[in-house]
Amino acid sequence: MDTNTTASDLSDSFTAKPTIFPKSGYSILAFLMFLNAVFSIFNNLLVIIVTIKNPQLRNPINIFILNMSFSDLMMTLFGTTIVVSTNYYGYFYLGTTFCTFQGFAVNYFGIVSLWSLTILAYERYNVVCQPIGALKLSNKRGYLGLAFIWIFCLFWAIAPLFGWSSYGPEGVQTSCSIGWEVRSWNNYSYLIAYFLTCFIIPVGIIGFSYGSVLLSLHQLNQKIEQQGGTKNPEEEVRVIIMVLLMVVAFLICWLPYTVFALIVVFDPEMYIPPLAATLPTYLAKTSPVYNPIIYIFLNKQFRNGAVQFLTCGHFNLTTPEEESSTVVGPAEIVESKTVSKSNQVAPS
């Protein structure tokens, strides 16, 4: 790409069919995005329905999981489904206004999902590692957290509409997002601020929170062993694997996008091939597929609720004792071994 590329150049670049990618390539992208959309819509709708149908799942922690599923569903409807159509035609045929709308919607719902994962990690840390603070976990605090997420993310999504950076077509010109390929100091300043608030800070919070949860679990296992109890290394390994899946999936989704944006900032002269510029965006669009699997379907209560819903109540994966428990996720191991804390609010 020309190093003097401007926002207007990008906005005008999809008015004619591009020749930067063969038709077969666009067809493959359309098919892959179609599969992505089908699984994403199914997974996230299932999570939303199961949560609504099961009152025991509607606790303060699960509010953030439900919020993530909603934002992932919106990201799919306003992002993935559109690129299925545009890749089928081989160019963004919907025009400049719709390109801006799609870029805004994908950016907004994408960072809402990202920050939902971040607050979810922090609240799990609170429950497991700060037992006194866990007593403060309430619906009011959960709703305040949601309000923060949507308002904070709205600022970063709406800023390009008012001239701080811009939205435009990217890569092979069949999808739209933040104009990170634009070479201008206005865009650089936005990308740097965006990088800090929508990647570095969330990664730091997620890493610290789940790292602390794992450390707490390890220390609890050691204490149980010292007191003559039986250590359960299998459960510890299971939680480690689960946390690693969460962190790795998060990085796969957002790290390539961040790296490409920063390359443009620190090396404006570098040429980025259109196909390479497309990959980060499409990786980000896969997050609505695996987020429900990692964060929800590894959760016993959600998994059982989903099986009951899909089989019209004919199958139940848990015992009555397990159904009465509200302990889920990495914290379930810690809580299940700490009977004296049973009066605390348990995480999902």
Side-chain angles (χ1 to χ4, degrees):
M1 178 178 290
D2 187 352
T3 57
N4 295 319
T5 299
T6 65
S8 61
D9 292 333
L10 287 176
S11 297
D12 294 337
S13 62
F14 57 73
T15 56
K17 294 184 179 181
T19 57
I20 56 178
F21 207 43
K23 178 61 179 177
S24 59
Y26 286 114
S27 298
I28 292 172
L29 284 177
F31 176 70
L32 292 176
M33 287 298 99
F34 172 75
L35 294 179
N36 185 307
V38 169
F39 285 112
S40 176
I41 292 172
F42 175 81
N43 289 351
N44 288 289
L45 272 180
L46 182 60
V47 169
I48 293 170
I49 292 171
V50 168
T51 304
I52 292 174
K53 289 178 64 67
N54 294 272
Q56 70 272 21
L57 293 176
R58 297 197 294 269
N59 59 57
I61 284 287
N62 286 345
I63 286 175
F64 297 105
I65 290 182
L66 184 61
N67 190 62
M68 179 191 69
S69 291
F70 174 76
S71 60
D72 278 348
L73 180 61
M74 294 298 102
M75 182 179 173
T76 301
L77 293 177
F78 293 113
T80 309
T81 55
I82 292 173
V83 299
V84 171
S85 175
T86 55
N87 276 300
Y88 175 79
Y89 283 98
Y91 70 110
F92 201 96
Y93 64 93
L94 298 171
T96 305
T97 301
F98 208 90
C99 177
T100 300
F101 169 76
Q102 192 221 10
F104 166 81
V106 171
N107 185 26
Y108 188 28
F109 294 120
I111 55 179
V112 164
S113 179
L114 183 154
W115 269 98
S116 295
L117 300 181
T118 303
I119 301 299
L120 175 64
Y122 176 72
E123 292 296 355
R124 280 175 166 168
Y125 157 78
N126 263 345
V127 173
V128 177
C129 304
Q130 304 290 335
I132 296 177
L135 296 176
K136 300 178 183 178
L137 190 60
S138 63
N139 286 329
K140 180 179 179 180
R141 175 170 163 174
Y143 291 131
L144 287 175
L146 292 185
F148 162 77
I149 290 172
W150 286 92
I151 294 172
F152 177 77
C153 295
L154 179 62
F155 170 80
W156 293 105
I158 208 171
L161 299 178
F162 289 89
W164 193 20
S165 188
S166 61
Y167 290 114
E170 61 182 351
V172 294
Q173 310 298 295
T174 52
S175 65
C176 299
S177 71
I178 299 169
W180 58 270
E181 296 176 86
V182 176
R183 270 65 166 179
S184 70
W185 285 109
N186 173 279
N187 195 48
Y188 298 159
S189 63
Y190 175 85
L191 291 177
I192 292 172
Y194 189 88
F195 167 73
L196 292 174
T197 57
C198 296
F199 185 77
I200 288 296
I201 293 177
V203 166
I205 293 174
I206 290 173
F208 169 78
S209 298
Y210 285 131
S212 299
V213 168
L214 291 178
L215 180 61
S216 177
L217 172 60
H218 181 69
Q219 291 174 342
L220 181 59
N221 266 331
Q222 287 187 325
K223 187 175 180 180
I224 291 172
E225 191 175 28
Q226 290 171 359
Q227 294 176 348
T230 302
K231 184 177 179 180
N232 195 334
E234 290 80 11
E235 288 185 338
E236 188 171 347
V237 170
R238 183 175 71 84
V239 176
I240 290 174
I241 293 174
M242 186 176 181
V243 170
L244 286 176
L245 281 174
M246 293 175 179
V247 175
V248 170
F250 182 92
L251 292 177
I252 289 174
C253 175
W254 297 107
L255 184 59
Y257 202 95
T258 304
V259 168
F260 272 72
L262 291 180
I263 286 175
V264 173
V265 174
F266 293 110
D267 190 359
E269 303 297 321
M270 177 175 288
Y271 170 75
I272 301 177
L275 181 57
T278 297
L279 292 178
T281 303
Y282 283 78
L283 282 175
K285 286 182 173 63
T286 63
S287 62
V289 176
Y290 58 71
N291 275 342
I293 296 173
I294 295 175
Y295 286 86
I296 295 153
F297 295 138
L298 292 180
N299 172 318
K300 291 180 181 178
Q301 287 183 311
F302 272 107
R303 187 167 64 245
N304 185 56
V307 169
Q308 288 190 19
F309 173 74
L310 293 174
T311 62
C312 299
H314 288 89
F315 292 94
N316 192 333
L317 298 179
T318 62
T319 64
E321 291 77 11
E322 289 175 324
E323 288 181 350
S324 65
S325 172
T326 58
V327 182
V328 196
E332 71 180 294
I333 310 300
V334 176
E335 290 289 329
S336 66
K337 295 181 179 179
T338 315
V339 178
S340 61
K341 296 182 182 179
S342 61
N343 63 330
Q344 296 174 6
V345 179
S348 74

